[in-house]
């Protein structure tokens, strides 16, 4: 390797340097001749960026951040995501199988008879004999499910009950409309407003629903689980395991055994179906919190002071808000006064209280079951002197009052099944009628005290 040569600059060569090199050489020379200082040198002030008008610019020029306004355009990633969602929705709608066609000219729905299996007058006489206060209640309020008799289509009733689980009455009405419209394109696309809504006469038959693809059922707004429940119910009717005739002729025990095998149908739904659709006379929904609350108030009214009366009001008759429990694995305690009614015609299970100011048309399809409010004079009926009913062993007035106020509940219940059986023993075999009036008991003030 040849030796490296070092070239020394002479003073004369300095003046022949280009201007930029001269400035650098002068700076280096000045730094070398400057006296050394023991103190910390001061930091040079920041120089502002110099905007260059030519390509050479300054040796000390720095880049400055752009102050351009943010773009309002959607980011490419988000735009792609939205496009994918639209494509998936379009593809899904195109891939969803069409529902089977219904030949409405040959379909004939199967109805339950609009009749009672017992004497209603005899039932009233029995309850008045068991508790004379029922006489004043009967005079002021008719038990409409057992007085205004209508034909009931069992498949429609149970289907709409499943649809209504865990959603508000408005959502249930909308989903039920879309479900019916899958099979009946004569229905308008948009559901009529509540004050103009009339339940459609036609409802898809079970054998058609049983053949419908789950994806098609879900396109009506049903969850995957509810779609499976409804399809399973339809198959029970389609293959003959359930029918209007079998349901009508079954005993209470046989009815429970046949319906409990259907997915999505649990004890609460069976009890409501037996009371409001079949009008069975001796049903006691022991797991219903609303019935428990009503029985407590009915019993405690005999022991209340005049300053804290119990009142009956239509606002506590089951109305149409909030949600129902999932019935596949039913909870130990339900509350009919917190559960929405099914939205199909001829269905009359309890609903949540109708809020004040709500129009009559917004109460759902079972609005005819909701009685007019009582006047305060009803307190004279509830607190009239009668022979007080004995309590089960271990229960006291103080214990029951504390439960009514939300304390000392038994696994979330106000009354145990055994205690409910005890307090309604004298109502047999017409406990269903007594239960309906228990839903009408309202005493919100005592709950909050």
């Amino acid at each position: 390797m040849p030796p490296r040569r070092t070239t020394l600059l002479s003073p004369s060569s300095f003046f022949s340097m280009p201007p930029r090199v001269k400035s650098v050489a002068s700076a280096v020379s000045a730094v070398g001749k400057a006296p050394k200082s023991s103190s910390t040198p001061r930091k040079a002030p920041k120089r502002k960026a110099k905007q260059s008008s030519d390509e050479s610019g300054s040796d000390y020029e720095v880049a400055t951040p752009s102050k351009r306004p943010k773009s309002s355009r959607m980011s490419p990633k988000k735009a792609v995501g939205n496009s994918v969602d639209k494509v998936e929705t379009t593809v899904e709608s195109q891939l969803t199988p069409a529902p089977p066609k219904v030949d409405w000219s040959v379909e004939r729905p199967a109805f339950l008879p609009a009749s009672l299996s017992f004497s209603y007058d005899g039932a009233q006489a029995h309850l008045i004999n068991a508790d004379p206060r029922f006489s004043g209640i009967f005079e002021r309020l008719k038990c409409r499910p057992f007085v205004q008799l209508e034909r009931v289509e069992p498949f429609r009733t149970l289907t709409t009950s499943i649809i209504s689980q865990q959603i508000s009455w408005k959502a249930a009405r909308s989903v039920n409309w879309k479900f019916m419209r899958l099979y009946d394109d004569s229905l308008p696309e948009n559901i009529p407003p509540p004050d103009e809504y009339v339940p459609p006469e036609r409802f898809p038959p079970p054998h058609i629903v049983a053949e419908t693809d789950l994806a098609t059922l879900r396109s009506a707004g049903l969850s995957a689980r509810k779609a499976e429940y409804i399809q399973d119910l339809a198959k029970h009717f389609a293959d003959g395991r359930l029918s209007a005739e079998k349901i009508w002729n079954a005993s209470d025990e046989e009815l429970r055994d046949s319906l409990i095998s259907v997915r999505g149908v649990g004890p609460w739904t069976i009890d409501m179906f037996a009371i409001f659709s079949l009008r069975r006379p001796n049903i006691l929904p022991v797991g219903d919190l609303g019935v428990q609350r009503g029985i407590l108030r009915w019993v405690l009214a005999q022991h209340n002071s005049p300053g804290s009366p119990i009142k009956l009001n239509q606002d506590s008759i089951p109305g149409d808000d909030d949600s129902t429990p999932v019935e596949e694995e039913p909870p130990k305690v339900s509350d009919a006064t917190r559960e929405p009614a099914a939205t199909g015609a001829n269905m009359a299970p309890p609903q949540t209280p109708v809020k004040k100011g709500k129009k009559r048309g917004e109460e759902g399809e079972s609005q005819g079951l909701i009685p007019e409010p009582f006047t305060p004079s009803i307190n004279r009926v509830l607190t009239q002197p009668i022979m007080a009913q004995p309590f089960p062993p271990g229960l006291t007035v103080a214990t029951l009052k504390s439960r009514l106020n939300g304390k000392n509940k038994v696994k979330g219940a106000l009354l145990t099944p055994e205690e409910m059986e005890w307090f309604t023993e004298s109502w047999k075999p017409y406990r269903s009628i007594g239960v309906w009036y228990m839903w009408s008991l309202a005493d919100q003030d005592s709950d909050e005290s």
Side-chain angles (χ1 to χ4, degrees), residues 271-287:
D271 287 340
M272 299 303 103
F273 180 73
I275 293 175
F276 290 89
S277 297
L278 294 173
R279 295 174 286 274
R280 296 291 173 91
N282 195 37
I283 304 298
L284 178 64
V286 294

Side-chain angles (χ1 to χ4, degrees), residues 7-210:
T7 305
L8 298 178
L9 296 176
S10 63
S12 60
S13 63
F14 176 80
F15 296 100
S16 62
M17 294 180 181
R20 182 179 301 179
V21 179
K22 283 182 181 181
S23 62
V24 175
S26 299
V28 173
S29 177
V31 171
K33 294 178 180 180
K36 295 182 178 180
S37 174
S38 58
S39 60
T40 305
R42 292 181 300 175
K43 294 182 178 180
K46 295 181 179 180
R47 299 182 62 178
K48 294 183 179 180
K50 181 179 180 181
Q51 299 294 335
S52 175
S53 59
D54 55 18
E55 294 182 358
S56 62
S58 168
D59 293 335
Y60 301 98
E61 183 178 355
V62 294
T64 57
S66 173
K67 295 184 179 180
R68 291 180 301 175
K70 294 182 178 180
S71 175
S72 60
R73 293 183 302 174
M74 187 181 299
S75 65
K77 184 176 181 180
K78 189 173 183 179
V80 171
N82 289 349
S83 300
V84 171
D85 292 341
K86 291 180 180 179
V87 171
E88 288 179 350
T89 303
T90 304
V91 172
E92 183 178 355
S93 62
Q94 293 176 349
L95 295 179
T96 301
K101 295 293 183 180
V102 180
D103 187 354
W104 296 107
S105 63
V106 298
E107 295 294 342
R108 296 292 181 269
F111 289 98
L112 300 174
S115 61
L116 296 177
S117 60
F118 62 97
S119 168
Y120 182 71
D121 292 338
Q124 284 186 312
H126 176 88
L127 291 173
I128 292 172
N129 184 61
D131 192 323
R133 293 178 296 172
F134 274 116
S135 177
I137 296 296
F138 293 153
E139 292 176 0
R140 290 165 171 79
L141 178 63
K142 292 183 179 180
C143 191
R144 294 185 182 177
F146 293 88
V147 174
Q148 298 179 355
L149 307 181
E150 297 180 354
R151 294 192 307 168
V152 175
E153 186 179 353
F155 175 67
R156 179 173 188 164
T157 297
L158 294 170
T159 299
T160 50
S161 180
I162 292 174
I163 290 175
S164 301
Q165 291 175 7
Q166 293 193 320
I167 57 177
S168 69
W169 73 270
K170 289 184 178 180
R173 198 166 60 97
S174 176
V175 173
N176 191 58
W177 183 269
K178 293 177 181 178
F179 171 75
M180 291 185 289
R181 195 172 180 275
L182 287 176
Y183 307 92
D184 188 357
D185 53 11
S186 66
L187 297 176
E189 181 177 358
N190 296 323
I191 187 171
D195 55 346
E196 300 177 5
Y197 180 78
V198 177
E201 294 183 1
R202 302 191 300 197
F203 196 80
H207 71 92
I208 294 293
V209 178

Side-chain angles (χ1 to χ4, degrees), residues 386-443:
I386 61 172
M387 183 177 294
Q389 186 174 8
F391 288 175
L395 278 186
T396 64
V397 172
T399 301
L400 294 182
K401 285 185 175 181
S402 66
R403 289 188 188 178
L404 190 59
N405 293 329
K407 302 175 182 178
N408 301 324
K409 291 184 179 180
V410 183
K411 297 182 179 180
L414 300 175
L415 291 172
T416 65
E418 293 76 18
E419 292 166 350
M420 294 183 71
E421 291 281 354
W422 176 285
F423 286 124
T424 61
E425 178 66 27
S426 61
W427 299 359
K428 291 181 179 179
Y430 304 108
R431 292 184 296 183
S432 297
I433 298 172
V435 161
W436 189 83
Y437 286 100
M438 295 304 103
W439 272 311
S440 69
L441 282 171
D443 187 18

Side-chain angles (χ1 to χ4, degrees), residues 335-351:
D335 189 352
T337 63
R338 304 292 181 190
E339 314 205 23
T343 56
N346 304 320
M347 178 63 173
Q351 299 174 313

Side-chain angles (χ1 to χ4, degrees), residues 133 295-310 379 382-392 395-401 423:
R133 293 178 296 172
I295 292 176
L296 266 180
R297 290 168 179 161
W298 179 261
V299 172
L300 289 174
Q302 304 172 37
H303 306 274
N304 264 10
S305 62
S308 55
I310 300 292
N379 293 306
L382 296 175
T383 58
Q384 64 179 307
I386 61 172
M387 183 177 294
Q389 186 174 8
F391 288 175
L395 278 186
T396 64
V397 172
T399 301
L400 294 182
K401 285 185 175 181
F423 286 124

Side-chain angles (χ1 to χ4, degrees), residues 171-316:
R173 198 166 60 97
S174 176
V175 173
N176 191 58
W177 183 269
K178 293 177 181 178
F179 171 75
M180 291 185 289
R181 195 172 180 275
L182 287 176
Y183 307 92
D184 188 357
D185 53 11
S186 66
L187 297 176
E189 181 177 358
N190 296 323
I191 187 171
D195 55 346
E196 300 177 5
Y197 180 78
V198 177
E201 294 183 1
R202 302 191 300 197
F203 196 80
H207 71 92
I208 294 293
V209 178
E211 299 172 0
T212 306
D213 192 274
L214 290 176
T216 305
L217 293 176
R218 292 190 62 185
S219 67
L222 293 167
S223 66
R225 180 168 291 184
K226 285 187 179 181
E228 295 172 358
Y229 292 169
I230 291 175
Q231 192 178 72
D232 185 56
L233 174 67
K235 290 179 179 178
H236 274 72
F237 276 90
D239 61 20
R241 283 176 288 176
L242 289 176
S243 67
E245 182 180 1
K246 289 182 178 179
I247 289 174
W248 181 256
N249 294 325
S251 65
D252 293 344
E253 293 74 17
E254 293 170 343
L255 176 70
R256 184 173 297 271
D257 292 340
S258 61
L259 291 180
I260 203 68
S261 62
V262 180
R263 298 183 61 192
V265 176
W268 183 86
T269 294
I270 296 173
D271 287 340
M272 299 303 103
F273 180 73
I275 293 175
F276 290 89
S277 297
L278 294 173
R279 295 174 286 274
R280 296 291 173 91
N282 195 37
I283 304 298
L284 178 64
V286 294
D288 190 289
L289 197 59
V291 176
Q292 296 173 15
R293 190 183 299 114
I295 292 176
L296 266 180
R297 290 168 179 161
W298 179 261
V299 172
L300 289 174
Q302 304 172 37
H303 306 274
N304 264 10
S305 62
S308 55
I310 300 292
K311 60 184 179 181
L312 281 176
N313 194 304
Q314 73 161 355
D315 286 350
S316 69

